Amino acid sequence: MALFNRQVGPIALYGATGYTGRLVAAELAAAKADFVLSGRNRGKLESLAEELDGNVAVQAAALDDEVALRSLLADCAAVIDCAGPFIRHGEPVLRAAVETETHYLDTTGEQAYMRLAFDHYGPEAEVAGIAVIPAMGFDYAPGDMLASLTARGMGELDEIALSYAWRDFQPSHGTARSALEVLSGEDVEWSNLKWQPASGGLGRGSFEFPEPIGRQRMIRYPSGEQITVPRHVATRNVRTTMNATAFAPPGMAAGVQLLGRPLGLALRTPLKRLLYAGISRLPEGPSPQQRASMRFMIVCEARRGEEESRETISGRDVYGLTAAAVSRGGMAAAERGFSASGALAPSQALDPEEFLRALEGFELRWQVDRPRQAVGVPSP
C-alpha cells in the first residue's frame, strides 16, 4: 500500500532544490510519499519534479511572502525545511507551520535557531497541537537518540558527554554557510542545570575512540545536543566535542584547537561576507562517491557518581543519512495517529531504537558498554 494512503495530508518539502533538499526529495519519492516540492524558484522546482518522473506537485513560495507560505502549508500534514542557514532563512517557514497547524521538521545544526524553535514557537505549537522537531538530520538526531538510550534507567546524571569523529567529510554549501553562523555566534553549554555561555578555549584535550578511529585531539563542539538532551535526560551537565581534524588535515589538529575565539571574532567582521562568496564557488556538495566514503562515530558516556554507561554509534554518508532521517520523521509526523505536540527533541518525538534500526542501510551500528545489558543493531 502506498504511503500516502496512510497520510492525513501531503508533506511540504521546502528548499527542495538545494543539495540536501534534493536528497530528501529522492527519499520521499522512493517511499511513494505524498509530497509537494517548494522553494523560491519555480523553474528549478519543475525541473526537479521532472527528474522524479513528473508525478510530484510543485508550489513555489518566497520566504518573504507570508500568504504564499500559508497557502503552501494549508492542506499539508507536515513540512520539512531544508533551506539554511536557518538563523537567516528558517523562521518564516516555522512561523507559517505553527499558524497553519502543520507539523514542522528541519535539518538545522544551529543552536541559536534551535533555541528559537523551542523557546518561542514551542508553546505556540503545543497550543496548536502540532510538533516542532528541529535538528532531525545528522547531526544531531542520532546523537540525541544515542544519549536517550545511554542514559536509560540511570536516573539523575552528573554528565552526558558526546564525542564526535568524522573521516573524509566534505561539506555542502548549506553546511559550510551554517558552520559560519555557528562559529560566529555565541554558543552555549548545559552546565550546572542551566544554559550558559560556553567557557574556555576551543581545545578539549584528546579522546580515545574505538578502532578504527583511535585517539583524537578534540575541540569544543557547539552541537544541538546541548539544546535537546537536557529536555529529556535529567543531567547536570552536557559536554560535546569533535575531532579537531574533522575539517582540517591531521597535521593541523593542534592549530585548530587554538583558533576558537580569534576565529569567532573574525567572523563578526566583513570577512564572513567574503567567505560566503567564496563558498558559492565551491562544488554544491560531495559526489555520491565522496558521500559513500564519509565515516562517522559518536561515543556517548553517561555518568552518575562512579557508575558509567558508554554507547557508540557509527556509520557512513552523513548527507544520505540526514535525508533518510528527516524524511522518515516527516512521514511519521504525516501519518494518521501521530499526536506529538510542542517543540520536541528527536528522541521525544520518535522511538530511538525503532528509528535507528530503520537507518541500518547506512551501516549504522550501535553498542552499549553496560554490565548485564546490551543493545545493538545486527550487522548487515
Side-chain angles (χ1 to χ4, degrees):
M1 181 172 63
L3 179 66
F4 65 80
N5 288 334
R6 303 200 302 270
Q7 292 181 211
V8 296
I11 300 166
L13 174 58
Y14 196 85
T17 61
Y19 182 80
T20 300
R22 295 172 71 89
L23 296 177
V24 176
E27 288 281 340
L28 292 172
K32 301 187 185 302
D34 180 12
F35 66 106
V36 181
L37 300 174
S38 189
R40 295 173 296 176
N41 190 312
R42 186 173 187 85
K44 289 184 178 181
L45 293 168
E46 290 176 344
S47 295
L48 177 57
E50 286 299 317
E51 293 176 23
L52 299 170
D53 297 327
N55 295 320
V56 183
V58 166
Q59 189 170 341
L63 288 172
D64 59 358
D65 190 337
E66 295 181 3
V67 173
L69 288 173
R70 287 196 295 267
S71 176
L72 165 68
L73 301 183
D75 296 321
C76 288
V79 56
I80 297 172
D81 190 3
C82 297
F86 289 86
I87 200 64
R88 291 188 170 205
H89 308 305
E91 190 172 5
V93 179
L94 175 53
R95 184 189 306 117
V98 174
E99 290 174 350
T100 57
E101 300 182 358
T102 305
H103 296 301
Y104 170 92
L105 306 90
D106 66 38
T107 57
T108 189
E110 303 157 46
Q111 282 189 350
Y113 184 74
M114 295 172 66
R115 296 186 79 184
L116 175 72
F118 276 101
D119 298 341
H120 183 75
Y121 288 97
E124 297 179 40
E126 182 76 34
V127 172
I130 57 104
V132 167
I133 316 170
M136 262 303 299
F138 184 96
D139 34 350
Y140 303 104
D144 180 78
M145 292 182 173
L146 187 67
S148 175
L149 293 170
T150 309
R152 183 178 293 176
M154 292 185 67
E156 296 183 2
L157 303 175
D158 296 317
E159 181 181 74
I160 283 280
L162 287 143
S163 303
Y164 276 80
W166 282 272
R167 281 189 170 178
D168 300 321
F169 182 75
Q170 301 287 331
S172 68
H173 283 182
T175 299
R177 290 178 181 128
S178 291
L180 292 182
E181 298 297 333
V182 168
L183 291 171
S184 60
E186 296 291 339
D187 58 300
V188 298
E189 296 176 322
W190 181 253
S191 178
N192 293 319
L193 298 175
K194 62 182 178 180
W195 286 287
Q196 304 189 59
S199 59
L202 195 62
R204 288 294 185 269
S206 62
F207 183 80
E208 188 72 37
F209 287 89
E211 292 299 331
I213 302 295
R215 182 164 292 276
Q216 298 285 307
R217 287 180 179 268
M218 305 299 287
I219 58 176
R220 187 179 79 240
Y221 185 25
S223 82
E225 290 95 338
Q226 292 285 356
I227 310 301
T228 63
V229 168
R231 299 176 188 276
H232 58 87
V233 175
T235 180
R236 293 188 61 85
N237 302 285
V238 175
R239 182 164 57 89
T240 52
T241 58
M242 64 183 288
N243 59 322
T245 57
F247 308 108
M252 294 180 63
V256 171
Q257 286 184 315
L258 299 175
L259 282 176
R261 183 169 176 78
L263 179 59
L265 293 174
L267 289 175
R268 297 173 202 172
T269 71
L271 173 63
K272 186 161 74 170
R273 290 198 298 271
L274 294 175
L275 291 174
Y276 256 80
I279 289 169
S280 299
R281 299 188 184 125
L282 299 173
E284 184 182 20
S287 67
Q289 294 76 19
Q290 289 172 321
R291 282 173 38 211
S293 70
M294 293 184 197
R295 300 284 166 169
F296 71 87
M297 182 179 290
I298 312 169
V299 176
C300 180
E301 296 169 314
R303 301 187 185 95
R304 176 179 177 172
E306 298 300 315
E307 182 183 2
E308 178 178 306
S309 175
R310 176 180 168 113
E311 194 153 346
T312 302
I313 192 168
S314 61
R316 62 172 180 84
D317 186 2
V318 298
Y319 285 105
L321 191 149
T322 288
V326 75
S327 62
R328 282 164 172 73
M331 289 185 287
E335 281 193 8
R336 300 180 189 281
F338 184 82
S339 59
S341 64
L344 302 168
S347 59
Q348 290 177 299
L350 302 159
D351 178 79
E353 286 192 46
E354 180 180 333
F355 189 82
L356 292 174
R357 288 183 190 280
L359 299 174
E360 62 182 5
F362 297 91
E363 300 177 20
L364 204 69
R365 301 182 179 91
W366 85 89
Q367 61 184 30
V368 62
D369 180 13
R370 184 186 298 173
R372 298 179 301 278
Q373 184 174 354
V375 180
V377 175
S379 299

